[in-house]
Amino acid sequence: MKTLLRLPYRIYYCMIAVPLFVLATILLSSVAVAGCALGGRRIFGYWPGVFWSRIALAVFLCPTRIVGRENIPRDHRPCVVMANHQGAFDIFMMYGLLPIPFRWVMKESLRKVPFMGKACQMAGFIFVDDKRVGSIKETMTCARQVLSEGTSIFIFPEGSRTLTGRMDRFKKGGFVLAHELEVPIIPVSIDGSYRALKAKSRWVNPTRLTLTIHPAIQIDRAEEFPRNMLQALTEVRTAIASALPSEQEVHE
């Protein structure tokens, strides 16, 4: 790792990787905004983000391995996808490589990110403002609309990226959503993103990344609420942790 951060890598990083990534962000965000404005949200709300994510993984020298493709539902039924949140590269891994069209459930603050925020808004992503009364109700309404269109929803159940590399506690919001909308949950494990770019770091560390897709988990509606939801939370967390190194076990 230290060898890669010597002068040749720094030159490549500053002169080639970052400018290419910024250019791709501007161009593909603009394409997404224009395409969605013209009524092509199903295509332009998805594919520009896929290409943007794959470009990011390539220019920052982070090859990715996908495990568990056989666990992707063949009936294309919409679902709630959940993954651990290691860092910024989680976005590139999920959006660029998970073969399930979905809309993000993301923090309201991300709407203000130049170019990307506007593209996400036009693509129909769901913004959540925890500080505003009524936000959860609006989230449920938007989620129902997305699922009715046959598109899945993606959530980081930890809420924020880890600052230690260890998986944090899961929040219940995504599980309430899956329970209320009666859709299965697909757990996904992300490994390597924390090493690639830690919080507040200025340099991407070229790292091999692994994306593991687990079998779908359905909340048992025959069980009493919220016991069934909490049981699903434990199952999802266990599934995600099963594909991570032991040092990334859940932080209690």
Side-chain angles (χ1 to χ4, degrees):
M1 295 183 184
K2 293 183 179 179
T3 302
L4 289 173
L5 291 178
R6 291 176 180 174
L7 185 59
Y9 175 69
R10 288 177 180 264
I11 292 174
Y12 166 78
Y13 185 85
C14 296
M15 301 299 293
I16 299 177
V18 172
L20 283 176
F21 175 69
V22 172
L23 180 61
T25 301
I26 295 173
L27 290 177
L28 290 171
S29 294
S30 300
V31 168
V33 170
C36 291
L38 293 173
R41 175 180 286 183
R42 180 171 291 275
I43 295 176
F44 291 96
Y46 177 67
W47 285 106
V50 172
F51 294 138
W52 173 69
S53 298
R54 292 178 180 178
I55 288 171
L57 292 170
V59 299
F60 289 121
L61 310 179
C62 290
T64 304
R65 181 172 66 105
I66 304 175
V67 179
R69 291 179 184 269
E70 67 278 6
N71 293 320
I72 297 172
R74 296 183 179 180
D75 58 3
H76 303 292
R77 178 185 176 187
C79 57
V80 173
V81 182
M82 296 186 182
N84 56 310
H85 199 1
Q86 290 195 344
F89 270 66
D90 300 344
I91 297 173
F92 306 138
M93 294 173 68
M94 293 298 298
Y95 210 169
L97 299 170
L98 185 69
I100 301 176
F102 60 78
R103 298 285 187 268
W104 296 89
V105 175
M106 55 203 312
K107 294 181 179 179
E108 176 66 28
S109 58
L110 294 177
R111 194 194 296 266
K112 300 178 181 179
V113 176
F115 295 100
M116 188 193 77
K118 183 63 175 179
C120 291
Q121 178 182 332
M122 295 297 292
F125 288 7
I126 303 171
F127 293 91
V128 180
D129 185 358
D130 294 335
K131 300 178 182 179
R132 184 168 56 83
V133 177
S135 178
I136 300 301
K137 184 177 180 180
E138 291 180 11
T139 299
M140 293 293 292
T141 300
C142 293
R144 286 191 179 93
Q145 178 61 35
V146 169
L147 292 170
S148 69
E149 297 171 354
T151 303
S152 296
I153 294 172
F154 175 77
I155 296 175
F156 287 120
E158 294 165 276
S160 301
R161 75 178 76 176
T162 176
L163 298 178
T164 63
R166 298 168 67 185
M167 192 164 63
D168 291 323
R169 294 177 180 177
F170 283 9
K171 297 181 179 180
K172 301 180 180 66
F175 297 90
V176 173
L177 189 68
H179 177 270
E180 291 293 329
L181 302 179
E182 301 184 38
V183 294
I185 301 170
I186 297 184
V188 176
S189 302
I190 293 174
D191 183 30
S193 177
Y194 179 75
R195 297 189 300 273
L197 183 63
K198 297 181 180 180
K200 300 181 181 180
S201 175
R202 296 182 302 168
W203 297 93
V204 174
N205 182 26
T207 304
R208 181 172 294 278
L209 311 173
T210 302
L211 192 74
T212 303
I213 305 167
H214 301 279
I217 293 174
Q218 183 77 50
I219 295 180
D220 186 0
R221 298 186 67 85
E223 291 286 339
E224 182 180 354
F225 181 85
R227 185 185 305 166
N228 56 354
M229 183 193 68
L230 296 176
Q231 180 180 350
L233 186 153
T234 300
E235 292 177 5
V236 170
R237 188 171 60 179
T238 300
I240 293 176
S242 69
L244 300 177
S246 58
E247 64 268 18
Q248 296 178 17
E249 63 185 5
V250 179
H251 176 69
E252 298 292 351

